[in-house]
Each structure stands twice: as structure tokens, then as C-alpha cells.
């Protein structure tokens, strides 16, 4: 597979001949704990440094702080208002249950590096990011020879490494700065540049305007630090590290934050950072170990789609522009691999989950606080984890879910609603924020949504579906039980019918009789689908674990009484229990279609009427949308088996985002639609601005178009885009307990290879395989032996 990657490097490498002008031109590296964006500048470098633990706020904070109304009486008042049809009153009461906001992921520091070298006459800049190695590189010409820079987030040691190689000796000047409040001046500590900053104890999102949007506590706050160690002797002058002349310079960069407040007896941030920033004795060996560790994950899955020969030498931004008018299947493969690369870079065991921007953020505050949005975006970021053979990258999210279900989620369920189990709403952060946000004035359409925990908990079952690990499922059972106990507390019933109230369909609104946009009602379709999915998962998990807990059938009984999804008079799936007119007919969210994807409650085979209504709903909502919503639409069309529409959505997702309004777009940006998705120059997906779920959702959608699976079956090429008649994919992981390799030509399968997933044990098992050009057949898969399927002669 690695040989294939090297041959098709245009599918695994982005390249440019111009430096970064904007942050979204820079190239990302990351190892799950630390990340950097490489600007690739002539005569030096700029690195935006991030640490996955650098968040505002403090551990152990009161999860109910700032909530004006709480308890079952407050919830009863909301329900009473809904029952009498006074939705305005219900929404006002819900505002009384809002906390201020979730905390923000922070930009830790910037590192500016400048060479004291001969003047650059003809720069001849070349800038690349190789996904197969995780190394961002740039080189340029000087009068004294060529200079090459390499940056990587070391997968073995955890450090950020920057290497400078020059044909003639050069001196390097290096400075570290931050948007955060300084705690100490730059200093040399044991020959390493060391800088510390205070982390805010509170940081408001950009749409809020409190008197002090970023608030520090220099007595009880946390601290962030950067430590830089140079391989060559260096001195500190006026805050700048200045090296001696050499042809080789290696800088190892450690970042860290204090685990608790600076006044606590915890290890200091600078000592933690210094433990990472150790000078390598052999930088070539360090680099080699990093590449080996990186490729162990990256090389498990690869997609080959042929492209016109002329695109191989194009700069990536030129390639994106060309693809607007000319077919370039390989660009989709490049984006597929980039999504896997970004997930690997921003989510590894031992670190927190990827946030809205992965692990990269240059702003204070970042877009949407660069935090966690749990009504689609956090879940979408992990859709490709299992299917593209990166289950380890799923672990940070699963641990976050487990932790929140035991701590803040239980406190909020009990104190806000008087409910059992655990709850999480629309926004969260490193500390597991679980209350509705909005500061008392947030629109409940986006601020109130108590089923975030339900959707998140279903990821635990998805892990089991791919791994088959019963011991792990037994460890996850308490989380599923606590999730179900909240559902049992939340659902209302008269023993004949059941409903949810108050209910929202995240971020969307309908028009009431007076034409006023409203977001609150009863039994939104998304509620029903999530709760029924939870009931089904708990029943299946109980059967697998041979448990007979009495609450399992009770949850099934109660969710069965919820209203079934309805088809409107216009032939579309209703988003709310009662027919409503959309306030925004082209809204980006398609929450009521969650049963189509990522769940399988709606399928063309089992529920053709609902599948047709879902298709009509997607069409009515419109093909145009934000980056992540384009990816979601593509995945849904893949489930519906419509390769033409998958192709349409992918083309929109892969178009240039030049000039799309964003925080770094600049005054010269061309005006365009506020929610028009596409790709920035570095392939980041535009919401706009950048949101990583657009990239990761796109990878999942492409995988879904190529291979779909259930526990006993694999469907190959179910929605192949017409522009991809020939290709191959390796390492798609399935719920059927096998990884799948597929080759195809002229739209028909030429070869399938099935390999048993190691965690499934030593037992062989049977799998139904369906594919164009191959007869539907059941095949026996034996662990350790590939099962090869080839079309039979007609």
C-alpha cells in the first residue's frame, strides 16, 4: 500500500509555489496533543502553535453556574406553556435555564523564525504537506544556496519539530509571542527558551459582548507554556533566541498547560513543556521514528482515483480552481486522505476530542469558541474513524462521553430537570459543559436541545459494531444505562401515546400562526429517531451481554409509543410532529433525516416511502450549503444509492472558497453567500469560516459511496459517482467484521478482498456481499486468510 501511495503522490500531497498570505493558506501538522500551522515563508517561517489542553476555564467549575431557574418545577412550567400553545412563553422560560457559555479553545502562541542569510534573489519557493509522513516542508533559493524547512508534530515524542537545512551556514533568530496575557518574560532555562502565559478563566464567544470578553485570574488561573530547544548554541537577546551559524538547525518545541490553577501543587506548565522539548541526538533517527509511527495509522486505508495527467504538477489551489470546470476524480481522493490525516493529527489516545477546528486555532476567541457543538458537528468529526481504519482516533471522543456521563452530565440532569441519568445540550468544552448556553437571551432553537448526550452515547455502540469487543461493551454498558435513564425521565406518556416536550430540531425554526419564527414544539422527528435508536441499541447490547435489566424493555415500550415519522402533503418527511412551514426553507441542518444517515431507520429497501420522502426533503432544502452540510447531504445520497447526486454535492464541497466571508478573509475578499461551503487554499473546509467536520464528513461520505455495511452484509459501490468509473480502495473497515479492498473498472467490480478484523477473534463467519458485476453471494471469512471475490464469467 505504501508503494501505491508513493506512485500516486498527487493523491497524498498538497503543493504550492507561493507563501501563506492567510492562516487558511498555512499547512497543518498535529499529533493529537500538539499542533502547528506552517506558513512556509521565504527567509524563515511562522508557526501558529496549539496545545489541545489550552482552554479557558477551570477544572471542577460548577456546571450550573449562572442558571437562573432550575429543577422539575421550572421544566413543568415550560411544558405547561407548550401544552397551552404559548410557545413564546415557553421559549422565554427556557432562556431562564441557560448558563452563560461553554469555554473556548485557545491560540497558545506564534513562533517567528528568521534566517540571517544572503538576500533572496529568485526565491523559487516550493511548499508541500505530505500526508504519508505528516511533514510540512518548504524550500527556497538564496544567493548562497538553497534552504529547506521541515515541520512535523512528532508522533513518537509529542514535540513539534522544526528543522532548517541550508547549503551554507546560517544563523537563525527566533521569537515566541502570544495573544494571551504574559506571565513571564522569555528566558533561557537550562539552555531552552521558555515563555509562560496566563490562560483566561473565562472567554466569551464572538457573538457575545460582555464588558470583559476575555477574563484572567492571575491568582487562581491556569498557565500555558512554550519551551524551545535549539540543536545549536544560542543566546537570548531582547526576548529573541539567536543561534550560532550552522548548516543544520533543529528546534524541538514543547507546549503544555498546568493541570489545575497555578496556585495548586501540580506540575508547572513550563516543566511539562520542557520534558517534551528534548534535543534529539540524531534528528534523522527522530524523523524516521516519527514517519514510522505516523504511517502505522495512515497506511491502513487508501483510495486511488485516476486524474488527468496534467493535474499532477499543478499547485493544489490551481487544481481546486480547475476542478470547477473539469473532472478531477483524484481531487476527491486527495480530500479523502486529507480528512483521515486531519483526524489523525487532531485526535489521538490520551488527548481530548477534536474541536470545531480540530487542534488548530489562531484567534481569541476562535470561531464559535473553537469548542464542541454536539448537535451534529462533533459527531460528524468522528464518522470516518471506524470506517477508514482509525479506531484509535475515536478513543478521545469515547472517553469524553464516558467522563461527562459520570460528572457534569449527571449533575445537570438532576439539578436542571430533576431527571435521572445524564444530559448534554448544544455546546460543550474540555470540562464537559452540559447546560444550555445563551446567557439568558439565546434563542432556544439553538440553545435548548437536551439530546446531545443521547447521540454521543450511540458512538459507544458504533465502536462495538466494528470491533465486536464484548469486554469493551460491558465497560460501556453503564454509560448506555445512564443515557437510557435520562430518556426514561424525559419522555412523557399517558400509557397509550408518548411524546417529548419541550422539543427542538437543532438550530431550525418554523413559522407560527402569526408568522413568528419558533423553535420549540413537541416530538420533533429528530427526538423520535434518536430515542428509538437508543432503545434499539440498548436492547441489542443487552442481548449481546446476556443482561435482563428491566429498564431495557420499558425503554423499547415507551419509544414505540412515540409518533412515527410522517410524510407531508408535499411528499417530504416532516421535521416536527405537526405540519409546519419552515422559517428558512434552505436551512443547512437536516436533523429530521438522521434516521437516513448516520442511522439506518430509513432505507430504500425496508422503508421505500420514507426513503422517497427523505430524498424529497433533501432536494427541497437545496443542494447549496455550508461545508459540513454538503458532506452530510453527500452521505445521505450515498445511503439512497444516488451516485449522481453524491457527485454533485462533492463537486460543491471541493470548489474554491476564495473570498468566502471568514475571519481571516481580509478586506479584499469578494462578497458571496454567508453559508457557501468549499475549500480554502490549504484544503480546509469552509463553513465558512473553517470547520473540520466539513473535511471529516466528506471523507465519511466518500467511504459511504464506496462501501456500506451492516453486521451480516457488505454492499460494494452502492453509490459510485459517474466520474469515477475506474479506481480502487483499500482498508475500508466494516460492521460485518471485515476490512474490504475493492478494485473496479468501467463502474463494475473486478476484485474484492475481505480480511477479518483482529478483534473479532478466531472464529470464521459468513458475510453476504452485494456488488455491481458480482453475484450476490454469502462468503465464509476465515481469520488470517483473505477471501478473494472476482466476477464470474457470464
Amino acid at each position: 500500500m505504501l508503494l501505491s501511495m508513493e506512485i500516486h503522490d498527487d493523491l497524498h500531497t498538497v503543493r504550492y509555489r507561493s507563501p501563506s498570505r492567510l492562516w487558511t493558506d498555512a499547512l497543518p501538522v498535529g499529533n493529537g496533543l500538539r499542533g502547528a500551522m506552517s506558513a512556509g515563508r521565504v527567509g524563515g517561517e511562522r508557526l501558529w502553535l496549539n496545545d489541545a489542553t489550552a482552554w479557558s476555564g477551570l477544572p471542577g467549575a460548577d456546571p450550573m453556574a449562572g442558571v437562573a431557574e432550575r429543577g422539575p418545577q421550572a421544566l413543568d412550567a415550560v411544558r405547561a406553556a407548550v401544552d397551552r400553545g404559548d410557545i413564546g412563553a415557553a421559549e422565554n422560560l427556557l432562556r431562564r435555564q441557560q448558563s452563560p457559555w461553554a469555554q473556548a479553545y485557545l491560540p497558545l502562541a506564534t513562533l517567528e523564525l528568521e534566517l540571517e542569510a544572503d538576500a533572496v534573489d529568485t526565491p523559487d519557493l516550493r511548499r508541500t504537506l505530505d500526508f504519508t509522513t505528516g511533514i510540512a516542508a518548504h524550500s527556497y533559493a538564496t544567493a548562497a544556496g538553497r534552504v529547506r524547512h521541515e515541520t512535523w508534530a512528532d508522533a513518537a515524542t509529542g514535540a513539534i519539530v522544526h528543522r532548517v537545512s541550508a547549503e551554507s551556514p546560517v544563523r537563525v533568530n527566533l521569537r515566541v509571542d502570544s495573544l494571551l496575557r504574559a506571565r513571564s518574560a522569555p528566558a533561557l532555562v537550562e539552555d531552552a527558551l521558555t515563555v509562560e502565559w496566563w490562560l483566561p478563566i473565562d472567554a466569551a464567544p464572538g457573538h457575545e459582548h460582555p464588558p470583559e470578553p476575555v477574563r484572567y485570574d492571575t491568582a487562581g488561573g491556569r498557565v500555558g507554556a512554550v519551551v524551545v530547544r535549539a540543536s545549536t548554541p544560542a543566546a537570548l537577546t531582547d526576548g529573541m533566541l539567536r543561534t550560532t551559524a550552522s548548516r543544520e538547525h533543529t528546534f524541538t518545541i514543547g507546549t503544555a498547560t498546568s493541570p489545575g490553577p497555578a496556585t495548586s501543587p501540580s506540575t508547572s506548565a513550563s516543566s511539562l513543556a520542557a520534558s517534551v522539548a528534548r534535543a534529539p541526538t540524531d534528528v534523522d533517527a527522530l524523523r524516521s521514528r516519527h514517519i514510522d509511527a505516523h504511517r502505522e495509522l495512515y497506511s491502513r486505508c487508501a483510495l486511488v482515483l485516476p486524474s488527468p495527467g496534467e493535474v499532477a504538477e499543478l499547485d493544489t489551489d490551481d487544481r481546486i480552481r480547475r476542478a470547477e470546470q473539469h473532472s478531477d476524480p483524484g481531487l476527491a481522493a486527495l480530500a479523502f486522505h486529507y480528512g483521515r490525516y486531519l483526524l489523525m493529527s487532531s485526535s489521538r489516545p490520551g488527548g481530548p476530542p477534536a474541536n470545531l477546528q480540530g487542534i488548530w486555532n489562531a484567534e481569541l476567541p476562535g470561531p464559535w469558541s473553537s469548542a464542541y457543538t454536539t448537535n451534529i458537528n462533533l459527531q460528524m468529526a468522528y464518522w470516518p474513524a471506524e470506517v477508514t481504519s482509525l479506531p484509535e482516533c475515536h478513543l478521545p471522543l469515547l472517553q469524553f462521553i464516558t467522563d461527562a456521563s459520570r460528572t457534569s452530565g449527571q449533575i445537570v440532569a438532576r439539578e436542571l430537570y430533576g431527571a435521572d441519568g445524564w444530559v448534554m445540550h448544544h455546546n460543550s468544552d474540555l470540562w464537559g459543559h452540559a447546560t444550555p448556553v445563551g446567557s439568558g437571551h439565546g434563542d432556544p432553537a439553538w440553545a435548548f436541545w437536551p439530546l446531545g448526550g443521547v447521540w454521543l452515547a450511540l458512538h459507544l455502540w458504533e465502536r462495538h459494531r466494528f470491533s465486536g469487543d464484548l469486554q469493551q461493551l460491558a465497560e460501556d454498558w453503564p454509560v448506555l444505562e445512564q443515557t437510557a435513564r435520562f430518556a426514561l425521565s424525559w419522555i412523557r406518556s399517558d400509557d397509550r401515546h408518548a411524546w417529548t416536550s419541550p422539543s427542538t430540531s437543532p438550530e431550525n425554526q418554523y413559522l407560527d400562526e402569526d408568522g413568528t419564527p419558533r423553535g420549540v414544539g413537541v416530538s420533533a422527528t429528530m427526538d423520535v429517531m434518536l430515542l428509538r435508536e437508543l432503545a434499539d441499541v440498548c436492547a441489542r447490547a443487552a442481548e449481546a451481554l446476556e443482561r435482563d435489566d428491566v429498564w431495557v424493555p420499558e425503554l423499547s415500550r415507551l419509544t414505540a409509543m412515540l409518533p412515527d415519522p410522517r410524510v407531508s402533503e408535499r411528499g417530504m418527511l416532516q421535521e416536527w410532529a405537526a405540519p409546519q412551514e419552515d422559517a428558512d426553507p434552505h436551512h443547512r441542518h437536516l436533523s429530521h433525516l438522521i434516521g437516513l444517515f448516520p442511522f439506518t431507520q430509513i432505507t430504500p429497501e425496508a422503508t421505500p416511502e420514507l426513503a422517497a420522502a427523505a430524498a424529497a426533503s433533501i432536494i427541497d432544502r437545496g443542494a447549496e450549503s455550508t461545508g459540513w452540510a454538503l458532506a452530510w447531504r453527500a452521505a445521505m445520497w450515498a445511503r439512497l444509492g444516488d451516485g449522481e447526486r453524491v457527485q454533485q454535492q462533492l463537486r460543491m464541497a471541493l470548489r474554491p472558497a476564495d473570498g468566502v466571508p471568514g475571519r481571516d478573509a481580509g478586506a479584499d475578499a469578494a462578497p458571496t453567500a454567508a453559508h457557501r461551503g468549499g475549500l480554502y487554499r490549504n484544503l480546509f473546509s469552509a463553513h465558512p469560516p473553517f470547520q473540520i467536520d466539513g473535511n471529516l464528513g466528506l471523507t465519511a461520505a466518500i467511504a459511504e459511496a464506496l462501501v456500506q455495511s451492516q453486521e451480516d452484509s457488505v454492499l460494494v459501490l452502492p453509490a459510485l459517482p459517474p466520474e469515477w468509473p475506474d479506481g480502487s480502495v483499500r482498508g475500508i473497515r466494516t460492521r460485518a467484521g471485515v476490512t474490504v479492498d475493492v478494485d473496479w473498472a468501467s463502474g463494475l467490480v473486478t476484485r474484492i478482498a475481505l480480511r477479518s478484523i483482529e478483534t473479532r477473534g478466531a472464529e470464521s463467519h459468513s458475510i453476504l456481499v452485494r456488488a455491481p458485476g458480482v453475484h450476490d453471494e454469502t462468503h465464509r471469512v476465515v481469520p488470517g486468510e483473505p477471501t478473494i471475490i472476482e466476477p464470474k464469467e457470464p
Side-chain angles (χ1 to χ4, degrees):
M1 190 182 303
L2 287 177
L3 178 62
S4 173
M5 290 181 184
E6 290 161 6
I7 293 173
H8 301 282
D9 68 326
D10 60 305
L11 305 182
H12 300 272
T13 305
V14 292
R15 56 175 57 86
Y16 310 86
R17 291 182 177 85
S18 59
S20 302
R21 184 176 65 90
L22 307 172
W23 184 78
T24 48
D25 298 340
L27 301 177
V29 297
N31 55 30
L33 283 172
R34 295 172 186 88
M37 294 286 284
S38 164
R41 292 182 173 176
V42 173
E45 177 61 299
R46 184 180 197 188
L47 300 178
W48 289 269
L49 301 175
N50 290 107
D51 187 293
T53 66
W55 287 72
S56 61
L58 292 170
D62 178 7
M64 294 293 294
V67 177
E69 298 286 348
R70 64 181 71 186
Q73 299 85 357
L75 179 59
D76 288 344
V78 177
R79 286 173 168 164
V82 173
D83 288 346
R84 65 177 182 267
D86 192 348
I87 303 303
E91 292 183 340
N92 287 333
L93 289 169
L94 285 172
R95 290 183 176 91
R96 300 279 296 164
Q97 299 182 37
Q98 294 174 356
S99 65
W101 44 71
Q103 291 302 327
Y105 181 60
L106 305 170
L108 185 59
T110 55
L111 184 151
E112 301 280 355
L113 185 147
E114 186 177 88
L115 270 59
E116 293 182 6
D118 292 330
V120 178
D121 296 325
T122 53
D124 185 26
L125 176 66
R126 300 170 193 171
R127 193 163 63 95
T128 62
L129 172 62
D130 183 344
F131 306 159
T132 71
T133 63
I135 296 176
H138 71 285
S139 65
Y140 47 86
T142 73
R146 196 156 191 89
V147 177
R148 177 177 173 83
H149 297 251
E150 290 186 332
T151 304
W152 69 90
D154 198 72
T157 68
I160 301 293
V161 181
H162 186 77
R163 185 182 189 183
V164 181
S165 303
E167 292 182 354
S168 300
V170 294
R171 299 172 68 107
V172 176
N173 296 331
L174 184 150
R175 182 187 299 276
V176 178
D177 204 352
S178 178
L179 297 175
L180 304 174
R181 180 177 294 177
R183 184 175 189 248
S184 66
L188 272 183
V189 179
E190 297 181 355
D191 297 324
L193 174 64
T194 302
V195 195
E196 288 188 342
W197 300 274
W198 290 104
L199 305 183
I201 62 166
D202 193 33
H207 62 272
E208 295 281 352
H209 302 285
E212 193 176 7
V214 179
R215 185 162 57 90
Y216 293 88
D217 181 349
T218 56
R222 297 170 67 236
V223 174
V226 171
V227 173
V228 183
R229 194 175 298 278
S231 62
T232 48
L236 186 66
T237 305
D238 296 329
M240 179 178 291
L241 191 70
R242 190 180 186 202
T243 72
T244 56
S246 177
R247 291 175 58 193
E248 285 280 338
H249 298 271
T250 301
F251 301 93
T252 51
I253 306 158
T255 70
T257 64
S258 57
T263 54
S264 68
S266 58
T267 307
S268 73
S270 57
S271 63
L272 288 170
S275 69
V276 175
R278 294 187 292 267
T281 55
D282 184 341
V283 68
D284 289 322
L286 177 72
R287 184 181 187 275
S288 179
R289 286 194 299 272
H290 158 74
I291 292 174
D292 288 345
H294 178 87
R295 281 183 170 169
E296 198 286 314
L297 291 178
Y298 186 82
S299 64
R300 296 174 184 172
C301 181
L303 172 63
V304 175
L305 295 174
S307 288
E310 62 268 22
V311 306
E313 300 304 318
L314 287 178
D315 283 6
T316 299
D317 47 355
D318 291 335
R319 185 176 182 180
I320 296 169
R321 284 192 289 270
R322 180 192 179 280
E324 279 197 289
Q325 305 297 329
H326 305 281
S327 176
D328 182 2
L331 181 60
L334 183 69
F336 174 86
H337 297 133
Y338 191 52
R340 295 187 72 249
Y341 169 80
L342 293 178
L343 183 58
M344 285 175 51
S345 300
S346 53
S347 185
R348 296 284 186 97
N355 61 60
L356 278 171
Q357 278 71 41
I359 199 173
W360 305 279
N361 172 38
E363 301 176 58
L364 182 64
W368 303 282
S369 296
S370 202
Y372 302 129
T373 302
T374 61
N375 65 18
I376 176 64
N377 311 101
L378 179 57
Q379 291 88 342
M380 179 183 285
Y382 286 88
W383 287 350
E386 300 288 347
V387 73
T388 69
S389 296
L390 294 175
E392 298 92 334
C393 298
H394 204 177
L395 295 178
L397 176 65
L398 301 174
Q399 188 61 53
F400 173 81
I401 295 164
T402 301
D403 291 344
S405 73
R406 294 170 176 168
T407 54
S408 57
Q410 286 199 24
I411 295 171
V412 173
R414 181 178 63 251
E415 296 194 12
L416 189 62
Y417 299 127
D420 295 332
W422 78 289
V423 69
M424 183 169 282
H425 292 80
H426 170 80
N427 290 121
S428 193
D429 55 26
L430 182 69
W431 319 114
H433 188 99
T435 47
V437 299
S439 304
H441 55 257
D443 190 328
W446 56 261
F448 172 80
W449 184 65
L451 296 188
V454 173
W455 194 352
L456 287 170
L458 295 171
H459 277 253
L460 299 171
W461 175 250
E462 192 71 349
R463 162 169 58 185
H464 173 72
R465 295 181 75 190
F466 280 88
S467 72
D469 188 337
L470 284 174
Q471 181 178 344
Q472 182 62 62
L473 181 62
E475 294 176 12
D476 291 337
W477 177 259
V479 182
L480 293 174
E481 179 176 355
Q482 290 302 314
T483 308
R485 292 199 177 280
F486 175 77
L488 289 166
S489 295
W490 189 256
I491 300 170
R492 318 312 296 161
S493 171
D494 60 8
D495 287 331
R496 293 177 54 250
H497 305 94
W499 63 94
T500 59
S501 176
S503 177
T504 58
S505 192
E507 303 195 41
N508 206 358
Q509 295 176 307
Y510 60 88
L511 297 178
D512 68 10
E513 294 178 354
D514 298 328
T516 303
R518 297 295 185 194
V520 174
V522 176
S523 299
T525 300
M526 189 186 201
D527 281 9
V528 175
M529 290 183 169
L530 276 171
L531 292 167
R532 285 184 172 173
E533 190 75 14
L534 176 66
D536 180 63
V537 162
C538 289
R540 294 170 68 185
E543 181 181 5
L545 296 172
E546 299 181 345
R547 299 186 64 101
D548 58 358
D549 302 51
V550 296
W551 60 264
V552 175
E554 173 60 15
L555 182 62
S556 296
R557 184 188 73 85
L558 202 58
T559 55
M561 291 191 294
L562 290 168
D564 290 331
R566 296 182 173 98
V567 178
S568 72
E569 292 181 357
R570 295 175 57 206
M572 295 177 292
L573 199 69
Q574 288 185 185
E575 189 157 0
W576 285 272
Q580 303 287 0
E581 182 181 352
D582 288 333
D584 177 5
H586 297 137
H587 199 268
R588 60 196 176 279
H589 283 258
L590 286 163
S591 302
H592 55 310
L593 303 186
I594 192 174
L596 173 62
F597 188 93
F599 307 141
T600 54
Q601 297 173 24
I602 299 173
T603 67
E605 296 80 15
T607 59
E609 182 183 5
L610 292 180
S617 298
I618 306 170
I619 293 170
D620 186 69
R621 195 59 61 90
E624 181 63 88
S625 200
T626 65
W628 62 262
L630 293 173
W632 197 5
R633 284 159 167 77
M636 287 190 284
W637 284 122
R639 279 283 170 88
L640 291 168
D642 193 330
E644 283 272 8
R645 292 191 185 275
V646 171
Q647 178 174 292
Q648 176 192 29
Q649 300 291 171
L650 292 180
R651 278 223 168 187
M652 298 174 78
L654 298 175
R655 66 193 166 190
D658 294 347
V660 170
R663 299 204 172 195
D664 60 2
D668 58 343
T672 187
H675 293 293
R676 178 191 185 276
L679 298 179
Y680 293 111
R681 286 187 67 211
N682 66 356
L683 291 190
F684 274 174
S685 176
H687 178 287
F690 163 54
Q691 272 189 210
I692 198 171
D693 38 86
N695 292 102
L696 304 180
L698 191 69
T699 295
I702 291 171
E704 197 69 19
L706 300 176
V707 177
Q708 296 175 18
S709 67
Q710 296 303 319
E711 279 74 4
D712 58 355
S713 63
V714 172
L715 181 58
V716 177
L717 303 188
L720 186 69
E723 289 184 353
W724 305 354
D726 307 308
S728 66
V729 66
R730 303 281 183 268
I732 294 294
R733 201 161 170 257
T734 73
R735 301 170 185 86
V738 295
T739 58
V740 179
D741 302 343
V742 186
D743 298 290
W744 68 91
S746 300
L748 298 177
V749 169
T750 58
R751 183 179 183 272
I752 299 172
L754 308 178
R755 294 176 176 83
S756 183
I757 295 174
E758 291 180 3
T759 54
R760 293 295 180 129
E763 297 293 327
S764 62
H765 56 288
S766 297
I767 299 169
L768 173 65
V769 178
R770 301 167 56 198
V774 176
H775 295 294
D776 294 356
E777 290 182 351
T778 298
H779 296 266
R780 198 78 181 164
V781 179
V782 179
E785 300 178 16
T787 298
I788 307 300
I789 305 169
E790 295 177 333
K792 297 177 181 178
E793 292 295 330

